[in-house]
Amino acid sequence: MITSRILAVLPFIIAYQSTVSATTTSTVYELSNNTKPDIHGIQLGFNYAATLIEGSTFASQFTSASSLSGTNGAFKSARLYSMINSTTGGLISAIEDAITTNTTLLLGLFASQGDTNFTKETSALDTAITNYGSKFTDLIYGISVGSEDLYRTSDNGADGVGDSVANLQKYIGWTRQVLAKHSLSKPVGHVDTWEMWLDQKYGQQLLPNVDFVGMDNYPYWEYVAENQSAANMTGTYEQVVAGVKGKPVWITETGWPVNAPANSTDVAKPGLSEASQYWQSVGCGWAFGKINTWWYIYNDLQAVETETAKPKPPSFGVAASPSDTCGLFDLACPVGAAINPTTVSAAAATATGTCSAAYAKASKVVGGAAVSVRGSVVRAAAFGAMILIARGLLFD
């Protein structure tokens, strides 16, 4: 059931059908990452919503993501938004499934529902450590307390479901107490939009409390054309690095929509070709293998049209379904990328042919409706919907 606070967001994210063409290039290269995740190395993975798509499991999504054609298992990490199953209130099944699939974790503790809910988050973390021990803790790369809470309470945020610096400082302390109880040392930080980290009223006040800075940036929501998006992403990252007093900066969300609400007067357009170019320029050409990166997103709701359902934009998913191992477009990085060797395997070449039909089928991905309102209100509304979908608050 849709909660009442989401109703103000929905008018901005209702889309009509408009078919776009798929990207059909399909040269596949084998990536160099080994078969086991390295908790001490550069992390590469996806964000995963707390609410599972019907019929899927976290294990199936983790396995499919690490089996994406042309990537040779490079995507072995998962960023979560919560420790809690939004339906049952118990421990999220992603923990056990990460253990089963040997998936490293950037854990998330949701921080925008008050002390009572955050106590449930820390209790779930405590329970997971107690129940699974080192099988779980060996996979933890870091813990994010909150996600875009500062943005949603700032003047730019339209949703309003966020939290204050003071509460985040308190919750970070509570999280550290759980780790101390188990004699664990793990990086504890916070994830927010890039500009919040440079704001003296918000991120700058939180810096002394965090071990890392999680940075979200979507050039699409900045109304930047795809051919300028890499410069926008690298530029904002460099600004954050320069402004956070030596704290490590991780890319916790970025991506380009295959379909989304579009402003008819804006140069930023959703589509398969645009999403593919962003993946190649920002991911392959810059971030992958060099900066801890969790791409948004492996699969979100329904990106493509089926016989029984229409797409539900905005969709930033690179996969057509929770079990898709081809992707909506060619995900292979070219030779010379940081995570790519200089040879092409026979298996990767075979995968190219297998997935060519899937890339053609992806032409059924649809675009978004034109929205006449410009600026931060539309961006904030879409952000609010995305984060609450990921957290699972759109559903009972």
Side-chain angles (χ1 to χ4, degrees):
M1 183 177 71
I2 299 175
T3 63
S4 59
R5 68 185 176 204
I6 303 303
L7 295 179
V9 175
L10 292 180
F12 295 102
I13 60 171
I14 298 173
Y16 71 93
Q17 297 179 18
S18 174
T19 305
V20 296
S21 298
T23 299
T24 56
T25 56
S26 55
T27 302
V28 174
Y29 302 94
E30 186 176 54
L31 303 183
S32 60
N33 293 44
N34 58 29
T35 57
K36 293 184 178 180
D38 179 7
I39 201 65
H40 302 293
I42 298 297
Q43 300 295 291
L44 182 57
F46 292 103
N47 289 262
Y48 292 89
T51 299
L52 287 167
I53 298 173
E54 185 176 356
S56 73
T57 65
F58 286 106
S60 66
Q61 291 191 70
F62 295 163
T63 300
S64 296
S66 67
S67 304
L68 282 166
S69 176
T71 68
N72 196 35
F75 290 84
K76 297 180 181 298
S77 191
R79 180 194 169 212
L80 306 178
Y81 289 85
S82 175
M83 293 294 299
I84 300 171
N85 182 309
S86 60
T87 301
T88 67
L91 182 65
I92 193 169
S93 59
I95 304 305
E96 186 168 328
D97 286 358
I99 295 170
T100 302
T101 58
N102 208 24
T103 301
T104 65
L105 295 168
L106 173 55
L107 297 176
L109 278 66
F110 195 72
S112 286
Q113 288 187 307
D115 289 2
T116 299
N117 186 78
F118 197 80
T119 298
K120 295 177 182 178
E121 293 278 357
T122 53
S123 294
L125 175 62
D126 184 31
T127 297
I129 296 171
T130 300
N131 289 352
Y132 299 111
S134 61
K135 290 188 296 182
F136 166 51
T137 59
D138 285 352
L139 295 173
I140 300 173
Y141 190 80
I143 302 173
S144 173
V145 174
S147 180
E148 296 190 359
D149 309 87
L150 298 178
Y151 174 77
R152 295 195 305 277
T153 55
S154 71
D155 293 338
N156 291 329
D159 188 73
V161 187
D163 218 332
S164 65
V165 171
N167 275 344
L168 290 174
Q169 291 170 330
K170 177 174 64 176
Y171 296 158
I172 288 170
W174 291 3
T175 303
R176 294 192 193 280
Q177 289 174 10
V178 173
L179 295 176
K181 172 184 174 181
H182 295 276
S183 300
L184 288 174
S185 177
K186 296 291 181 180
V188 179
H190 172 69
V191 169
D192 228 296
T193 59
W194 71 270
E195 63 267 40
M196 287 297 99
W197 287 111
L198 303 179
D199 194 305
Q200 293 295 327
K201 182 180 176 182
Y202 296 104
Q204 292 289 300
Q205 298 296 316
L206 191 60
L207 278 179
N209 303 91
V210 300
D211 299 319
F212 69 88
V213 165
M215 170 189 153
D216 294 354
N217 184 33
Y218 296 87
Y220 177 82
W221 295 124
E222 302 281 344
Y223 303 115
V224 174
E226 191 285 323
N227 62 4
Q228 299 173 1
S229 60
N232 174 273
M233 184 64 195
T234 58
T236 54
Y237 180 83
E238 289 168 359
Q239 288 183 60
V240 173
V241 169
V244 295
K245 303 175 175 64
K247 301 286 184 177
V249 180
W250 304 348
I251 299 171
T252 41
E253 288 184 32
T254 196
W256 196 275
V258 293
N259 63 63
N263 189 318
S264 59
T265 61
D266 281 326
V267 293
K269 303 295 183 184
L272 286 174
S273 176
E274 291 81 0
S276 174
Q277 291 174 52
Y278 190 74
W279 175 277
Q280 289 294 326
S281 61
V282 172
C284 296
W286 175 63
F288 295 166
K290 299 177 182 178
I291 303 167
N292 291 330
T293 302
W294 290 268
W295 201 263
Y296 193 90
I297 190 170
Y298 168 64
N299 176 254
D300 55 346
L301 296 179
Q302 184 175 301
V304 298
E305 182 177 353
T306 68
E307 293 180 359
T308 59
K310 301 299 182 184
K312 299 175 181 178
S315 176
F316 284 67
V318 303
S321 73
S323 60
D324 179 21
T325 58
C326 284
L328 290 168
F329 49 85
D330 186 1
L331 299 172
C333 293
V335 169
I339 58 172
N340 204 47
T342 57
T343 58
V344 183
S345 71
T350 300
T352 303
T354 302
C355 289
S356 59
Y359 300 147
K361 185 178 180 180
S363 63
K364 291 193 174 220
V365 172
V366 303
V371 178
S372 61
V373 181
R374 289 182 62 92
S376 61
V377 173
V378 175
R379 177 172 180 260
F383 265 161
M386 285 168 59
I387 192 67
L388 292 169
I389 288 169
R391 171 62 177 85
L393 296 181
L394 285 179
F395 306 92
D396 282 338

